[in-house]
Amino acid sequence: MLGPKLRQCDDCVKIGALWVHLRTCQSCGGTHCCDSSPNRHASKHAKASHHPVVASAEPGERWLYCYPDEAFAEY
Ligand SMILES: [Zn+2]
Ligand SMILES: [Zn+2]
């Protein structure tokens, strides 16, 4: 399981935006913001990079989400 290196969305930090929740890409370990965030960097990253699975990067949350399958899995 890949977790967040830093608890921040790098893409949001670059543009000075705020996020709601964070997700960590299970293909490359990048941490991005969720679909409740204004910029939805996790979905954009999944589509652009073809990295399908993210894990919640929120403390205490233990689940994975697969974008192409729209499927949640707890672990
Ligand atoms: Zn972001
Ligand atoms: Zn990735």
Side-chain angles (χ1 to χ4, degrees):
M1 191 63 52
L2 296 171
K5 290 187 190 88
L6 291 171
R7 208 165 282 287
Q8 65 179 36
C9 173
D10 289 338
D11 291 344
C12 280
V13 169
K14 273 181 214 154
I15 61 175
L18 297 173
W19 58 84
V20 180
H21 299 295
L22 294 171
R23 312 290 179 238
T24 301
C25 175
Q26 296 301 291
S27 301
C28 68
T31 297
H32 303 101
C33 55
C34 71
D35 282 355
S36 306
S37 309
N39 292 289
R40 301 181 175 193
H41 285 128
S43 319
K44 285 181 188 166
H45 171 79
K47 275 213 181 80
S49 308
H50 301 286
H51 291 169
V53 179
V54 292
S56 174
E58 298 300 314
E61 291 188 9
R62 295 169 66 83
W63 52 260
L64 300 163
Y65 182 71
C66 177
Y67 284 101
D69 294 337
E70 297 180 10
F72 280 99
E74 295 191 43
Y75 64 90

